[in-house]
Amino acid sequence: MIRSKLPNVGTTIFTTMSQLAVQTGALNLSQGFPDFNGPQALLDAVGRHVAAGHNQYAPMTGLPALRQQVAAKVARLYGVKVDADQEVTITPGATEAIFCAIQAVIQAGDEVIVFDPAYDSYEPSVELAGGRCIHVQLSDGDFRIDWQKFSDALSPRTRMVILNSPHNPSGALISREDLDQLAQLIAERDIYLVSDEVYEHLIYDGVRHASVLAHEQLYARAFVISSFGKTYHVTGWKTGYVIAPPALSAELRKVHQYVNFCGVTPLQCALADFMAEHPEHIDELPGFYQAKRDMFCNLLQASRFSFTRTPGTYFQLVDYSQIRPDLNDVDMALWLTREHGVATIPVSVFYQRPIPEQRLVRLCFAKREETLRQAAEKLCAI
């Protein structure tokens, strides 16, 4: 008999809902990927590098030119100098970076604090390292961290805290004051951080991202993770990176080299070229997605869903209490897909202990205008 190392893990809700969308012909606003292509100049660069023969292994830590572009971006946006050779590692996707960071420092019996609702890859990675997740629930409604609850969750076994800002699924943001509070609470403890910042450039209404990279006290113990796929509309490229101090990067790389060794070479080449030639892409990204958010939310105002416009990510939560309060959110997501042709994600799947009275589903607005208009029309007709 097989003794599963992840006995409580099945197919993710993202796969389930996307498959159901295909089966039913529903508009897929569930899984977080665009239904439009990345910049043409970026796509063209891949072809050039493939034709030029850049098709063999990249260095284990990532293509030097791409690591240098990441370091230059960090310096420009956050005013922080990181060493491209010793502190930047390119990985095949942010999920692999998160996994490797956890495996690098978590040992049997260690505790890792995660904030619910939490992205679903965190806990299995901790369990495979022999650790245990301690779930601290974010405030219902605004999804802010309750620092008293966090303080109460700390123990001598706490070895890591996983942050996620902008937050998936809610879009909530961690502020500089939050980071200061965290730094104060763990100052005298041997605790590492994983800061999942894959939506760092998707923040709206003129708000600036509070990155752990720009917090000297926290960065000294942190793995900061981001995603080229999210930033450049190419999620299928599965290319991300992690920035960490030299000693932590060295430990992460020990794991990374045996998980995947290196990322895809021509994709790294293309990203390095595009970042160097089009730095404005990152600067324009908040406006690009805010326009989609605002258009979609304006259309949804005619519906019976209630919502507050998301401050970050490309996800919008909507409350369906006035439509089908009799359905839990999983059943609601299935009903919306099968009966009304719009696939969503139920928020309860991000919790260890779902809130019984919560009636929220997550919609992805990283879609073409035509898709968003069609989805809004279907949702407003309910």
Side-chain angles (χ1 to χ4, degrees):
M1 294 290 293
I2 297 174
R3 292 182 60 196
S4 175
K5 298 185 74 174
L6 294 172
N8 300 318
V9 172
T11 303
T12 72
I13 190 67
F14 310 106
T15 298
T16 298
M17 296 309 299
S18 286
Q19 287 177 346
L20 185 60
V22 172
Q23 292 168 8
T24 61
L27 297 172
N28 189 1
L29 270 59
S30 59
Q31 199 167 358
F33 60 82
D35 68 348
F36 50 86
N37 232 333
Q40 191 59 49
L42 176 61
L43 307 181
D44 291 343
V46 177
R48 289 199 308 272
H49 285 287
V50 169
H54 300 152
N55 301 306
Q56 309 309 323
Y57 293 127
M60 180 268 287
T61 57
L63 199 73
L66 184 54
R67 286 187 278 109
Q68 289 160 11
Q69 285 302 318
V70 170
K73 183 200 81 167
V74 169
R76 181 171 72 88
L77 295 183
Y78 305 129
V80 177
K81 182 178 180 180
V82 296
D83 188 297
D85 293 327
Q86 296 189 69
E87 297 179 76
V88 181
T89 306
I90 309 300
T91 59
T95 301
E96 195 246 25
I98 292 167
F99 178 85
C100 291
I102 291 169
Q103 300 301 316
V105 296
I106 296 303
Q107 300 189 29
D110 286 346
E111 293 179 352
V112 177
I113 292 179
V114 298
F115 296 98
D116 279 7
Y119 186 62
D120 68 345
S121 84
Y122 302 155
E123 187 154 25
S125 299
V126 170
E127 290 179 353
L128 287 171
R132 182 168 77 97
C133 279
I134 304 299
H135 294 258
V136 175
Q137 190 170 293
L138 297 173
S139 299
D140 189 21
D142 61 5
F143 296 95
R144 294 192 61 80
I145 296 173
D146 183 325
W147 289 109
Q148 185 57 56
K149 286 184 179 179
F150 172 80
S151 181
D152 293 343
L154 290 170
S155 83
R157 294 179 297 279
T158 306
R159 196 64 57 229
M160 177 178 281
V161 178
I162 302 181
L163 300 175
N164 178 206
S165 180
H167 179 250
N168 179 13
S170 75
L173 308 177
I174 290 176
S175 67
R176 174 68 190 209
E177 291 71 27
D178 286 320
L179 296 181
D180 290 340
Q181 183 73 42
L182 174 61
Q184 180 180 344
L185 289 169
I186 67 173
E188 304 302 321
R189 296 173 179 265
D190 182 21
I191 292 175
Y192 301 102
L193 300 180
V194 164
S195 187
D196 179 354
E197 303 183 17
V198 299
Y199 298 102
E200 61 177 320
H201 304 304
L202 278 63
I203 296 180
Y204 312 125
D205 306 308
V207 178
R208 291 180 60 84
H209 175 50
S211 176
V212 167
L213 290 168
H215 197 291
E216 184 176 359
Q217 188 177 351
L218 292 180
Y219 176 63
R221 56 174 82 201
F223 302 89
V224 182
I225 290 155
S226 196
S227 164
F228 297 110
K230 299 291 192 299
T231 300
Y232 296 101
H233 318 311
V234 285
T235 61
W237 288 16
K238 289 300 295 177
T239 306
Y241 61 89
V242 55
I243 304 174
L248 289 182
S249 287
E251 292 304 310
L252 175 129
R253 290 168 177 181
K254 290 178 184 179
V255 179
H256 162 67
Q257 67 183 340
Y258 293 114
V259 172
N260 214 295
F261 185 75
C262 67
V264 179
T265 301
L267 302 185
Q268 293 189 54
C269 294
L271 286 164
D273 287 355
F274 189 80
M275 290 182 74
E277 295 166 6
H278 297 281
E280 76 281 358
H281 175 88
I282 286 173
D283 301 328
E284 295 169 355
L285 205 57
F288 173 81
Y289 273 120
Q290 183 170 333
K292 290 184 177 294
R293 179 202 69 173
D294 289 346
M295 186 199 77
F296 190 45
C297 287
N298 288 342
L299 293 170
L300 287 180
Q301 285 178 344
S303 75
R304 292 197 291 157
F305 293 95
S306 59
F307 55 88
T308 300
R309 297 187 185 209
T310 184
T313 74
Y314 46 47
F315 301 118
Q316 177 65 52
L317 297 187
V318 296
D319 188 308
Y320 62 88
S321 298
Q322 300 304 311
I323 301 172
R324 290 296 305 268
D326 58 308
L327 296 181
N328 65 41
D329 61 353
V330 174
D331 289 338
M332 182 66 176
L334 296 174
W335 182 74
L336 286 171
T337 306
R338 291 169 175 156
E339 302 299 327
H340 296 280
V342 179
T344 66
I345 292 291
V347 172
S348 66
V349 300
F350 296 91
Y351 285 89
Q352 181 189 44
R353 294 184 178 87
I355 302 173
E357 65 275 14
Q358 198 176 68
R359 293 293 183 266
L360 297 174
V361 292
R362 191 194 76 177
L363 305 171
C364 176
F365 57 83
K367 307 297 177 183
R368 292 174 290 121
E369 180 176 334
E370 176 189 1
T371 305
L372 294 176
R373 289 189 181 278
Q374 290 176 354
E377 182 178 356
K378 291 175 179 291
L379 295 170
C380 287
I382 300 173

